[in-house]
Short mmCIF file of all heavy atoms in Angstrom, two decimals:
data_model
loop_
_atom_site.label_atom_id
_atom_site.label_comp_id
_atom_site.label_asym_id
_atom_site.label_seq_id
_atom_site.Cartn_x
_atom_site.Cartn_y
_atom_site.Cartn_z
N ALA A 151 -5.28 -10.12 0.20
CA ALA A 151 -4.32 -11.02 0.87
C ALA A 151 -4.55 -11.12 2.41
O ALA A 151 -4.17 -12.17 2.98
CB ALA A 151 -2.86 -10.47 0.59
N GLY A 152 -5.12 -10.06 2.96
CA GLY A 152 -5.38 -10.16 4.48
C GLY A 152 -4.10 -10.12 5.29
O GLY A 152 -4.10 -10.65 6.38
N PHE A 153 -3.11 -9.44 4.82
CA PHE A 153 -1.87 -9.30 5.59
C PHE A 153 -2.05 -8.39 6.80
O PHE A 153 -3.03 -7.57 6.87
CB PHE A 153 -0.74 -8.61 4.72
CG PHE A 153 -0.24 -9.56 3.60
CD1 PHE A 153 0.36 -8.97 2.47
CD2 PHE A 153 -0.35 -10.90 3.62
CE1 PHE A 153 0.78 -9.74 1.44
CE2 PHE A 153 0.11 -11.73 2.65
CZ PHE A 153 0.68 -11.10 1.50
N SER A 154 -1.15 -8.43 7.73
CA SER A 154 -1.12 -7.54 8.89
C SER A 154 -0.78 -6.14 8.35
O SER A 154 -0.29 -5.95 7.30
CB SER A 154 -0.12 -7.94 9.91
OG SER A 154 1.21 -7.69 9.47
N ASN A 155 -1.13 -5.09 9.18
CA ASN A 155 -0.76 -3.78 8.82
C ASN A 155 0.74 -3.58 8.83
O ASN A 155 1.27 -2.68 8.13
CB ASN A 155 -1.45 -2.76 9.73
CG ASN A 155 -2.92 -2.61 9.41
OD1 ASN A 155 -3.30 -2.06 8.36
ND2 ASN A 155 -3.79 -3.10 10.31
N VAL A 156 1.49 -4.28 9.66
CA VAL A 156 2.93 -4.26 9.61
C VAL A 156 3.39 -4.76 8.30
O VAL A 156 4.36 -4.21 7.71
CB VAL A 156 3.52 -5.02 10.84
CG1 VAL A 156 5.04 -5.11 10.65
CG2 VAL A 156 3.22 -4.26 12.12
N SER A 157 2.87 -5.84 7.81
CA SER A 157 3.22 -6.43 6.49
C SER A 157 3.00 -5.31 5.42
O SER A 157 3.89 -5.08 4.56
CB SER A 157 2.48 -7.63 6.16
OG SER A 157 2.95 -8.78 6.82
N TYR A 158 1.79 -4.68 5.49
CA TYR A 158 1.54 -3.63 4.48
C TYR A 158 2.54 -2.48 4.61
O TYR A 158 2.97 -1.96 3.53
CB TYR A 158 0.10 -3.14 4.69
CG TYR A 158 -0.22 -1.92 3.84
CD1 TYR A 158 -0.21 -1.97 2.46
CD2 TYR A 158 -0.56 -0.69 4.42
CE1 TYR A 158 -0.46 -0.90 1.67
CE2 TYR A 158 -0.88 0.37 3.66
CZ TYR A 158 -0.78 0.31 2.24
OH TYR A 158 -1.06 1.38 1.50
N GLY A 159 2.92 -2.09 5.84
CA GLY A 159 3.91 -1.10 5.96
C GLY A 159 5.22 -1.49 5.32
O GLY A 159 5.89 -0.69 4.68
N LEU A 160 5.64 -2.71 5.51
CA LEU A 160 6.88 -3.11 4.97
C LEU A 160 6.84 -3.21 3.47
O LEU A 160 7.84 -2.93 2.78
CB LEU A 160 7.26 -4.63 5.51
CG LEU A 160 7.62 -4.66 6.99
CD1 LEU A 160 7.52 -6.09 7.48
CD2 LEU A 160 9.02 -4.02 7.20
N VAL A 161 5.63 -3.51 2.87
CA VAL A 161 5.47 -3.45 1.42
C VAL A 161 5.71 -2.01 1.00
O VAL A 161 6.40 -1.83 0.01
CB VAL A 161 4.04 -3.91 1.09
CG1 VAL A 161 3.68 -3.53 -0.37
CG2 VAL A 161 3.91 -5.44 1.27
N CYS A 162 5.11 -1.04 1.63
CA CYS A 162 5.26 0.31 1.24
C CYS A 162 6.72 0.76 1.40
O CYS A 162 7.25 1.54 0.51
CB CYS A 162 4.39 1.24 2.10
SG CYS A 162 2.64 1.05 1.79
N GLN A 163 7.37 0.30 2.42
CA GLN A 163 8.79 0.69 2.63
C GLN A 163 9.66 0.23 1.46
O GLN A 163 10.45 0.92 0.90
CB GLN A 163 9.31 0.00 3.92
CG GLN A 163 10.78 0.11 4.18
CD GLN A 163 11.21 -0.67 5.39
OE1 GLN A 163 10.84 -0.35 6.52
NE2 GLN A 163 11.82 -1.81 5.16
N GLU A 164 9.47 -1.08 1.10
CA GLU A 164 10.28 -1.62 0.03
C GLU A 164 9.99 -1.05 -1.34
O GLU A 164 10.85 -0.77 -2.17
CB GLU A 164 10.19 -3.13 0.01
CG GLU A 164 10.66 -3.82 1.27
CD GLU A 164 12.10 -3.48 1.57
OE1 GLU A 164 13.01 -3.36 0.62
OE2 GLU A 164 12.41 -3.32 2.76
N LEU A 165 8.67 -0.80 -1.61
CA LEU A 165 8.30 -0.18 -2.87
C LEU A 165 8.85 1.22 -3.04
O LEU A 165 9.30 1.60 -4.11
CB LEU A 165 6.77 -0.15 -2.97
CG LEU A 165 6.04 -1.49 -3.18
CD1 LEU A 165 4.51 -1.28 -3.22
CD2 LEU A 165 6.53 -2.19 -4.43
N GLU A 166 8.78 2.02 -1.94
CA GLU A 166 9.31 3.41 -2.05
C GLU A 166 10.77 3.47 -2.14
O GLU A 166 11.35 4.45 -2.65
CB GLU A 166 8.75 4.22 -0.96
CG GLU A 166 8.94 5.75 -1.22
CD GLU A 166 7.70 6.57 -0.73
OE1 GLU A 166 6.75 5.98 -0.15
OE2 GLU A 166 7.81 7.79 -0.92
N ARG A 167 11.47 2.44 -1.67
CA ARG A 167 12.95 2.32 -1.94
C ARG A 167 13.11 2.35 -3.43
O ARG A 167 14.18 2.84 -3.97
CB ARG A 167 13.58 1.12 -1.25
CG ARG A 167 15.07 1.06 -1.45
CD ARG A 167 15.63 -0.07 -0.64
NE ARG A 167 15.15 -1.35 -1.14
CZ ARG A 167 15.70 -2.16 -2.10
NH1 ARG A 167 16.82 -1.68 -2.76
NH2 ARG A 167 15.16 -3.27 -2.46
N GLY A 168 12.22 1.71 -4.16
CA GLY A 168 12.30 1.74 -5.62
C GLY A 168 11.97 3.13 -6.13
O GLY A 168 12.78 3.77 -6.79
N ASP A 169 10.75 3.61 -5.83
CA ASP A 169 10.41 4.93 -6.22
C ASP A 169 9.01 5.24 -5.58
O ASP A 169 8.19 4.37 -5.43
CB ASP A 169 10.27 5.08 -7.77
CG ASP A 169 10.15 6.52 -8.15
OD1 ASP A 169 11.27 7.17 -8.31
OD2 ASP A 169 9.03 7.05 -8.36
N SER A 170 8.87 6.48 -5.18
CA SER A 170 7.61 6.94 -4.57
C SER A 170 6.44 6.70 -5.51
O SER A 170 5.25 6.51 -5.06
CB SER A 170 7.65 8.42 -4.22
OG SER A 170 8.64 8.70 -3.26
N ALA A 171 6.64 6.69 -6.80
CA ALA A 171 5.58 6.43 -7.80
C ALA A 171 4.97 5.08 -7.67
O ALA A 171 3.74 4.92 -7.74
CB ALA A 171 6.06 6.69 -9.23
N ILE A 172 5.81 4.05 -7.40
CA ILE A 172 5.37 2.70 -7.25
C ILE A 172 4.55 2.58 -5.98
O ILE A 172 3.41 2.00 -6.01
CB ILE A 172 6.53 1.71 -7.29
CG1 ILE A 172 7.45 2.04 -8.53
CG2 ILE A 172 6.01 0.26 -7.36
CD1 ILE A 172 6.85 1.87 -9.82
N ARG A 173 5.07 3.09 -4.88
CA ARG A 173 4.25 3.05 -3.65
C ARG A 173 3.02 3.82 -3.73
O ARG A 173 1.97 3.39 -3.22
CB ARG A 173 5.18 3.55 -2.52
CG ARG A 173 4.68 3.18 -1.08
CD ARG A 173 3.69 4.25 -0.53
NE ARG A 173 4.36 5.52 -0.63
CZ ARG A 173 3.69 6.65 -0.79
NH1 ARG A 173 2.31 6.63 -0.94
NH2 ARG A 173 4.24 7.83 -0.81
N SER A 174 3.07 4.95 -4.37
CA SER A 174 1.82 5.79 -4.57
C SER A 174 0.74 5.05 -5.31
O SER A 174 -0.43 5.07 -4.96
CB SER A 174 2.13 7.09 -5.26
OG SER A 174 3.00 7.89 -4.50
N CYS A 175 1.18 4.30 -6.37
CA CYS A 175 0.17 3.51 -7.18
C CYS A 175 -0.51 2.51 -6.21
O CYS A 175 -1.75 2.35 -6.25
CB CYS A 175 0.85 2.85 -8.29
SG CYS A 175 -0.22 1.74 -9.23
N VAL A 176 0.29 1.78 -5.46
CA VAL A 176 -0.25 0.78 -4.62
C VAL A 176 -1.08 1.39 -3.47
O VAL A 176 -2.19 0.84 -3.10
CB VAL A 176 0.88 -0.15 -4.08
CG1 VAL A 176 0.40 -1.09 -2.96
CG2 VAL A 176 1.54 -0.90 -5.16
N SER A 177 -0.60 2.48 -2.92
CA SER A 177 -1.29 3.15 -1.83
C SER A 177 -2.63 3.70 -2.28
O SER A 177 -3.65 3.50 -1.59
CB SER A 177 -0.46 4.25 -1.31
OG SER A 177 -1.05 4.94 -0.28
N VAL A 178 -2.68 4.29 -3.40
CA VAL A 178 -3.93 4.88 -3.94
C VAL A 178 -4.92 3.73 -4.21
O VAL A 178 -6.13 3.80 -3.93
CB VAL A 178 -3.70 5.73 -5.13
CG1 VAL A 178 -5.01 6.11 -5.89
CG2 VAL A 178 -3.01 7.01 -4.78
N GLN A 179 -4.40 2.65 -4.81
CA GLN A 179 -5.33 1.54 -5.18
C GLN A 179 -5.86 0.98 -3.88
O GLN A 179 -7.09 0.73 -3.83
CB GLN A 179 -4.43 0.46 -5.93
CG GLN A 179 -5.24 -0.80 -6.21
CD GLN A 179 -6.04 -0.66 -7.50
OE1 GLN A 179 -6.40 0.37 -7.92
NE2 GLN A 179 -6.31 -1.85 -8.15
N GLY A 180 -5.05 0.65 -2.87
CA GLY A 180 -5.54 -0.09 -1.71
C GLY A 180 -6.18 0.80 -0.65
O GLY A 180 -7.37 0.58 -0.29
N SER A 181 -5.55 1.86 -0.28
CA SER A 181 -6.00 2.72 0.84
C SER A 181 -7.06 3.72 0.41
O SER A 181 -7.95 4.02 1.22
CB SER A 181 -4.80 3.46 1.46
OG SER A 181 -3.84 2.58 1.98
N LEU A 182 -7.01 4.19 -0.79
CA LEU A 182 -7.91 5.25 -1.22
C LEU A 182 -9.02 4.83 -2.09
O LEU A 182 -10.02 5.52 -2.29
CB LEU A 182 -7.16 6.39 -1.87
CG LEU A 182 -6.08 7.07 -0.97
CD1 LEU A 182 -5.39 8.26 -1.75
CD2 LEU A 182 -6.68 7.63 0.31
N SER A 183 -8.84 3.67 -2.78
CA SER A 183 -9.89 3.22 -3.73
C SER A 183 -10.56 1.94 -3.22
O SER A 183 -11.80 1.83 -3.21
CB SER A 183 -9.24 2.94 -5.11
OG SER A 183 -8.65 4.12 -5.60
N MET A 184 -9.77 0.92 -2.88
CA MET A 184 -10.39 -0.28 -2.36
C MET A 184 -10.94 -0.13 -0.95
O MET A 184 -12.06 -0.66 -0.65
CB MET A 184 -9.31 -1.41 -2.42
CG MET A 184 -8.85 -1.79 -3.78
SD MET A 184 -7.52 -3.00 -3.83
CE MET A 184 -8.35 -4.44 -3.26
N TYR A 185 -10.22 0.54 -0.10
CA TYR A 185 -10.70 0.69 1.27
C TYR A 185 -12.03 1.28 1.38
O TYR A 185 -12.93 0.77 2.11
CB TYR A 185 -9.66 1.50 2.07
CG TYR A 185 -10.18 1.85 3.45
CD1 TYR A 185 -10.08 0.94 4.51
CD2 TYR A 185 -10.76 3.12 3.74
CE1 TYR A 185 -10.60 1.24 5.77
CE2 TYR A 185 -11.21 3.42 4.94
CZ TYR A 185 -11.15 2.47 6.00
OH TYR A 185 -11.65 2.80 7.23
N PRO A 186 -12.34 2.43 0.76
CA PRO A 186 -13.74 2.97 0.86
C PRO A 186 -14.81 2.04 0.38
O PRO A 186 -15.91 2.04 0.92
CB PRO A 186 -13.67 4.25 0.12
CG PRO A 186 -12.53 4.09 -0.81
CD PRO A 186 -11.56 3.30 -0.11
N ILE A 187 -14.52 1.25 -0.72
CA ILE A 187 -15.52 0.29 -1.13
C ILE A 187 -15.68 -0.80 -0.01
O ILE A 187 -16.77 -1.21 0.29
CB ILE A 187 -15.11 -0.31 -2.48
CG1 ILE A 187 -15.11 0.73 -3.60
CG2 ILE A 187 -16.09 -1.43 -2.86
CD1 ILE A 187 -14.61 0.27 -4.91
N HIS A 188 -14.60 -1.25 0.45
CA HIS A 188 -14.59 -2.32 1.51
C HIS A 188 -15.24 -1.84 2.78
O HIS A 188 -16.01 -2.60 3.39
CB HIS A 188 -13.08 -2.67 1.80
CG HIS A 188 -12.98 -3.95 2.60
ND1 HIS A 188 -12.99 -3.98 3.99
CD2 HIS A 188 -12.71 -5.23 2.18
CE1 HIS A 188 -12.81 -5.21 4.44
NE2 HIS A 188 -12.66 -6.01 3.41
N ALA A 189 -15.07 -0.61 3.13
CA ALA A 189 -15.57 -0.07 4.43
C ALA A 189 -16.96 0.52 4.31
O ALA A 189 -17.79 0.40 5.25
CB ALA A 189 -14.63 1.01 4.99
#
């Protein structure tokens, strides 16, 4: 999507209001799995 890092932070904020598991899934996918391939 190419969002700003503030947008990504807001995504994490809203997801974790639901549950840490949902934010964790998205965080691991993007920051820990996609990011190293991208970088």
